[in-house]
Amino acid sequence: MAERSSYLEVDGLRAHVTAPEGRPTGAVLLLPMITGIGEQVREYARLIVEETGAVALCWDPWHGKSSDDTPVEELHGMLGQLDDDAALAEQRTLLDHLVAEHGVEHAGVIGWCLGGRFALLLAAHDDRVSSVVAYHPTIPGETPPNHTRDAIAAARTLDVPVMVHYPGEDSIVPHHRFSALQSALQERATSAATVVHLYPRAQHGFSDRGRHGERANADAWALSWPQTTAFLDVAARLRAPDA
């Protein structure tokens, strides 16, 4: 499928959009990992467009910096500067843009690591979110001071389909935190599906191709991605006006 891809400014925020030629079938907001809108995240966006026909818009957590031009160590140092409320406001501005510019009423949200956590939070704060995919969401054992919003509590309130990909050897998110998230999702008072995938030997960030030298990470990614795009596509169609 042919697509158009470019950086853009949305109400003063830097973002990146990949769109199909013609009218999109839906919309997906991408919330990156620590790499920001680096090459790999742009590749994810391209795959989403090719495989679902949706427009894919990427949030930029670092306002211009990414793994394309900034050492990962420097990006790690910026993690503690992320403010939950400010980030959610930016993400909601991007949802405004998708609605206004692409003629959609709802959008799926997919996030990786820090973006996986924000995907859960955003869905709890904006009813335009039609589905959530959270890859190895960063919900650490000890809550950092700047994590002022509780992602597990937010997950319990969600009324949309949710898919979570958790690596069994996650060095950042201990098993008890994953279990708490899983319980919160499965105890929801909703008919919306909860789909949780466990990859026992995979590691945190297994979707990063730089980690695919480990067979367990490469296999986890290969298994998870087709299910992810199918999930986003079907969830969008279920929310379509003529569904």
Side-chain angles (χ1 to χ4, degrees):
M1 176 184 291
E3 74 272 343
R4 298 169 284 112
S5 182
S6 64
Y7 290 95
L8 73 162
E9 185 175 299
V10 178
D11 288 351
L13 300 174
R14 180 177 180 265
H16 186 277
V17 65
T18 306
E21 297 292 347
R23 184 177 178 83
T25 59
V28 179
L29 179 62
L30 285 72
L31 308 182
M33 57 281 220
I34 198 167
T35 58
I37 309 179
E39 178 185 3
Q40 184 163 277
V41 170
R42 300 194 305 273
E43 173 69 6
Y44 295 155
R46 184 185 67 78
L47 291 173
I48 287 171
V49 174
E50 289 185 352
E51 296 170 23
T52 72
V55 57
L57 183 63
C58 301
W59 170 60
D60 182 359
W62 310 129
H63 300 162
K65 294 184 177 182
S66 78
S67 56
D68 289 351
D69 54 25
T70 305
V72 173
E73 294 77 15
E74 181 177 340
L75 298 176
H76 270 287
M78 297 164 61
L79 275 173
Q81 301 172 27
L82 272 179
D83 177 81
D84 281 354
D85 289 342
L88 288 168
E90 292 177 4
Q91 294 157 17
R92 297 186 74 177
T93 294
L94 297 185
L95 287 176
D96 292 341
H97 175 81
L98 285 171
V99 171
E101 297 297 322
H102 295 280
V104 299
E105 295 182 2
H106 304 94
V109 177
I110 178 172
W112 295 263
C113 302
L114 72 92
R117 173 177 173 269
F118 274 118
L120 296 164
L121 292 173
L122 180 60
H125 289 87
D126 200 306
D127 60 11
R128 294 172 297 181
V129 174
S130 58
S131 63
V132 172
V133 177
Y135 268 93
H136 30 76
T138 302
I139 306 175
E142 293 188 13
T143 303
N146 63 318
H147 284 202
T148 55
R149 298 278 185 168
D150 186 337
I152 293 175
R156 190 171 285 110
T157 71
L158 301 185
D159 193 25
V160 297
V162 179
M163 176 178 280
V164 176
H165 299 286
Y166 178 73
E169 295 190 0
D170 196 318
S171 60
I172 296 176
V173 183
H175 285 271
H176 75 272
R177 294 292 273 169
F178 162 66
S179 295
L181 174 61
Q182 183 176 19
S183 295
L185 290 168
Q186 292 178 341
E187 292 167 2
R188 294 183 293 162
T190 176
S191 62
T194 295
V195 183
V196 176
H197 297 271
L198 172 65
Y199 306 93
R201 294 290 176 255
Q203 301 163 328
H204 187 82
F206 70 77
S207 51
D208 184 340
R209 70 170 70 93
R211 297 177 180 263
H212 291 177
E214 295 282 345
R215 176 67 180 272
N217 293 335
D219 287 352
W221 173 250
L223 283 167
S224 68
W225 185 252
Q227 297 178 81
T228 291
T229 52
F231 177 84
L232 289 168
D233 187 38
V234 172
R237 295 178 190 280
L238 290 174
R239 291 291 292 268
D242 56 352

